[in-house]
Amino acid sequence: MPQNFVIIPIYAALLGLLLLALTTAVVRLRGKHKVGIGDGGHADLALACRAHANFIEYVPLALILLLLLEYRGVPVWALHGLGAGLFLGRVLHAWGLSRSQGTSPGRAIGILLTWISILVPSLWLLVISFT
């Protein structure tokens, strides 16, 4: 097992920067529309808030699962694949959601990549925990 985490912190840092970008979008729109809480009925602010909230709903657990895989010594290629998939998924989802309330390829591909980034580590951890 690795003594230091070296792969997943890269993706945690990238995701941290993405979170700040999503947060900045919400703050900017709150200032523009002079709304302190909620979306004030502004569709663009509602979408920005939803993109931010969706990020917060998925990313913490995904990162914990990936860190546990790294701790358990999973191959570097798998960690990079899952980390990159999570990051790309979150970028695509936020981009798709920021453009439309309806379905969009960005949202669909983004959430699929996010779910894969949670499903694969979850199953992998169960397998290695019981073998």
Side-chain angles (χ1 to χ4, degrees):
M1 292 188 200
Q3 293 183 351
N4 297 311
F5 293 105
V6 295
I7 306 300
I8 300 309
I10 295 166
Y11 297 101
L14 290 170
L15 289 159
L17 294 174
L18 180 56
L19 175 61
L20 289 175
L22 295 172
T23 302
T24 300
V26 171
V27 169
R28 182 183 58 78
L29 289 170
R30 285 193 189 287
K32 174 183 173 185
H33 296 302
K34 301 194 181 346
V35 174
I37 304 268
D39 60 36
H42 301 279
D44 57 346
L45 179 53
L47 290 173
C49 287
R50 194 61 224 133
H52 180 269
N54 191 275
F55 183 98
I56 295 300
E57 291 164 1
Y58 284 101
V59 170
L61 177 60
L63 282 175
I64 289 168
L65 292 167
L66 294 175
L67 280 170
L68 290 170
L69 282 182
E70 185 166 6
Y71 177 76
R72 295 297 301 263
V74 166
V76 170
W77 62 265
L79 296 171
H80 278 298
L82 290 166
L86 176 61
F87 180 71
L88 179 60
R90 294 291 75 206
V91 168
L92 288 172
H93 188 272
W95 175 75
L97 190 56
S98 70
R99 298 193 167 295
S100 169
Q101 291 180 3
T103 59
S104 71
R107 285 181 71 188
I109 296 167
I111 199 63
L112 180 62
L113 287 171
T114 301
W115 288 349
I116 289 168
S117 298
I118 293 173
L119 176 64
V120 170
S122 295
L123 295 175
W124 202 330
L125 285 166
L126 284 172
V127 168
I128 62 179
S129 293
F130 289 107
T131 54

